[in-house]
Amino acid sequence: MFTNLADFLTFESPPPYQSSAKDLSSPVSQPRSSSNVHSETTSISTRCISSDEEMSRSPTSPLRSLREQCSTAHSPRSETDTEIRRKRVPADKAYFISKELLMTERTYKKDLELINVWFRDEVSKEENMPTHALTVLFGVVDPLYEFHCSFLRELEHRLATWEGRTGMPLQTHVQGVGDILLKKVQMTEFYTSYVEKLPFILERLNAAYCTNSHFERMYCDFEMQRVCYLPLTSFLLRPAYRLMHYSSLLERLVNHYGENNPDAKNCRTVLYKLKQVTSMLMKNIYYSANFVKLMELQRDLFGIDNLTTNRREFVREGCLQKLSKKGYQCRMFFLFSDVLLYANRGPINQHQFKVHGQLPLRGVMVEETEPKMGVVNCFTIYGGNRALMVAANSSEEREKWLEDLNNTILSAREPKDDAVFYSSLRSCSSSEDLLEHSDTLQTSEVVPTASGSAKPYQHFSNTTVHVCWHRNTTVGKEDYRRALMNYLSGYLLRKFKNSSGWQKLWVVFTNFCLFFYKSYQDDFPLASLPLVGYAVTLPNPHDNINKDFVFKLQFKNHIYFFRAESEYTFERWVDVIKGATLRS
């Protein structure tokens, strides 16, 4: 599998990529055979995170080998070639906004393809599948996929004409995308059908995952394929937010055009329609996003049942230093609308976290605490007969925790018609004694999966749970929603570490993370870089970067420089990355 947590792991080079024979303009791609898929993955390491000791012994950046791979397949683009090409591209901001639409549409079409082609092909080979839920899923995703294959072809042709690459004279009526979007506005019917059925699909697939060991095994095996670079549920959620991505792009176009541009009227008409439709779907969208987050956490945690209850909402997750008999130790805390959980990394499978206690919020109170043992940013959580003294990584993070805890506790105390439901802890005690001695638990303990099997857990170590743990930080509900709204892809140049050269990469931003490809036609990423905790800035004079539109990413001693093609794309990349780093 591709490398993740770039600042922690050494990149393991996959074999040179062989271009797929798939025709990108074809509305239906041919599914890969199972043997081909599995042969691609047999020599690739699984998605795993190294221990802290391994991290300190892995100084090599995973992005370094991208240079080696790309150099074997492509000759480097010279600075002169790049500058000549720049002179050919239109300078109008509307062009770059429209190009962003095209770049993200390329990625989005491949994300739909993962569900409609790859996943469909996988489940068609199996028996004892949740047939009804899958029939509903493919029934609503298939029209979307066919629509976006056609839509992408039209966008490709329009941008090529705009750039003067089709041999046609540049005319005003082709310099815009509003007419294409207006002609394709019937897509709202496909999206309405998809979003209305999405909660049912997610609930049924989750139920099948928890009760059907055959489906669970197939599901995990599919997620281990290199093409599935995110949890499958993230791909299922993607269409729910696509109309809002279009609305954001259209708002930028309308604001740029003003009143007299011939493309502005079409853009305003489509924007009005999209906002009208999404406003009616927001309840389902938010419910689905929350349910996907709970499904993800259910797989990251063990020792607890029924995390995905109908009325539970995710509020915040993060790493806090908890005071114990051994001093301050890192623990993961998970705040929901009804309960606070705390956990430690599993003693056997360190890719999961074992829940050691839950505090029902109706009986919880918090207060700021004076520094103790030289540790600042402390506060105490009181619940039942327990008092947990914890410390955040910064005063800003402490304020986030205190605000969310106080607001959620007040909400939980409001009278409810239904009885309060709490999850049950499995195979562990909620007492502090077990937590204090969790480092010495018996190594013969088997980590239970959802179906009770002892199969090794398949995971994604660039999910927010693992990133928060390794970078000692926190992510809240609003951060999560903002990340779903920010979806960006396109080509960037990355500066080589030990030379003045630049490497061209196709980069996808999603789920707080950058994914790197050699080309947008590649089926799977070569490396990833989780952004939580990074700082994004301009290069300083000591960096000796004498190029325009360059931004700098830094976490501790890990530094990367990326270069965009224009001022607009530079500002867009910096804006979405800033939202993902969670740094003020």
Side-chain angles (χ1 to χ4, degrees), residues 59-246:
T60 306
S61 165
L63 297 180
R64 190 174 76 178
S65 65
L66 289 176
R67 173 185 180 182
E68 300 167 0
Q69 293 180 71
C70 291
S71 64
T72 61
H74 306 284
S75 59
R77 185 186 297 272
S78 69
E79 295 293 329
T80 305
D81 291 341
T82 303
E83 297 303 325
I84 290 174
R85 184 182 177 281
R86 257 188 203 166
K87 292 176 182 177
R88 291 204 309 261
V89 237
D92 185 10
K93 182 178 180 180
Y95 162 78
F96 291 108
I97 299 174
S98 303
K99 188 173 181 180
E100 179 183 337
L101 171 61
L102 170 62
M103 298 292 105
T104 56
E105 193 67 20
R106 286 174 174 173
T107 301
Y108 179 61
K109 183 253 184 183
K110 292 190 78 68
D111 288 346
L112 289 176
E113 187 175 280
L114 180 130
I115 304 170
N116 199 49
V117 178
W118 294 79
F119 186 59
R120 184 201 290 262
D121 181 54
E122 199 69 23
V123 298
S124 67
K125 304 169 189 173
E126 304 290 340
E127 298 179 354
N128 193 23
M129 295 288 101
T131 307
H132 183 44
L134 293 172
T135 301
V136 174
L137 169 61
F138 297 130
V140 291
V141 80
D142 188 61
L144 270 180
Y145 177 65
E146 291 190 5
F147 169 84
H148 281 280
C149 288
S150 170
F151 183 42
L152 178 58
R153 285 197 298 270
E154 293 199 40
L155 286 178
E156 296 273 13
H157 185 266
R158 176 59 55 85
L159 267 292
T161 304
W162 202 339
E163 295 170 358
R165 292 189 285 113
T166 60
M168 296 174 57
L170 294 179
Q171 299 176 10
T172 304
H173 74 277
V174 299
Q175 295 187 15
V177 293
D179 60 317
I180 297 177
L181 288 164
L182 183 61
K183 184 174 64 174
K184 299 288 187 180
V185 78
Q186 78 273 13
M187 65 180 170
T188 55
E189 299 175 8
F190 302 141
Y191 278 96
T192 299
S193 178
Y194 186 93
V195 175
E196 286 178 346
K197 293 180 174 62
L198 184 57
F200 168 82
I201 293 168
L202 292 171
E203 289 169 1
R204 290 300 178 91
L205 292 182
N206 181 61
Y209 184 90
C210 294
T211 59
N212 183 338
S213 60
H214 190 77
F215 178 69
E216 177 196 15
R217 183 166 55 253
M218 184 283 301
Y219 192 104
C220 291
D221 289 343
F222 178 76
E223 287 193 329
M224 287 304 299
Q225 295 185 26
R226 301 170 75 186
V227 69
C228 193
Y229 64 96
L230 292 170
L232 178 60
T233 49
S234 295
F235 293 100
L236 297 176
L237 189 60
R238 188 82 80 214
Y241 281 83
R242 189 55 178 161
L243 291 186
M244 286 185 275
H245 298 154
Y246 292 144

Side-chain angles (χ1 to χ4, degrees), residues 322-327 329-331 342-348 354 356 428-443 445:
K322 178 185 167 297
L323 182 62
S324 67
K325 296 175 183 178
K326 299 178 182 179
Q329 295 181 318
C330 289
R331 297 288 182 261
Y342 54 99
N344 192 19
R345 193 155 64 168
I348 309 302
K354 183 167 185 176
H356 288 283
C428 72
S429 167
S430 60
S431 69
E432 288 299 285
D433 291 338
L434 179 58
L435 182 57
E436 303 302 341
H437 298 90
S438 60
D439 293 336
T440 60
L441 290 177
Q442 294 298 315
T443 57
E445 180 180 6

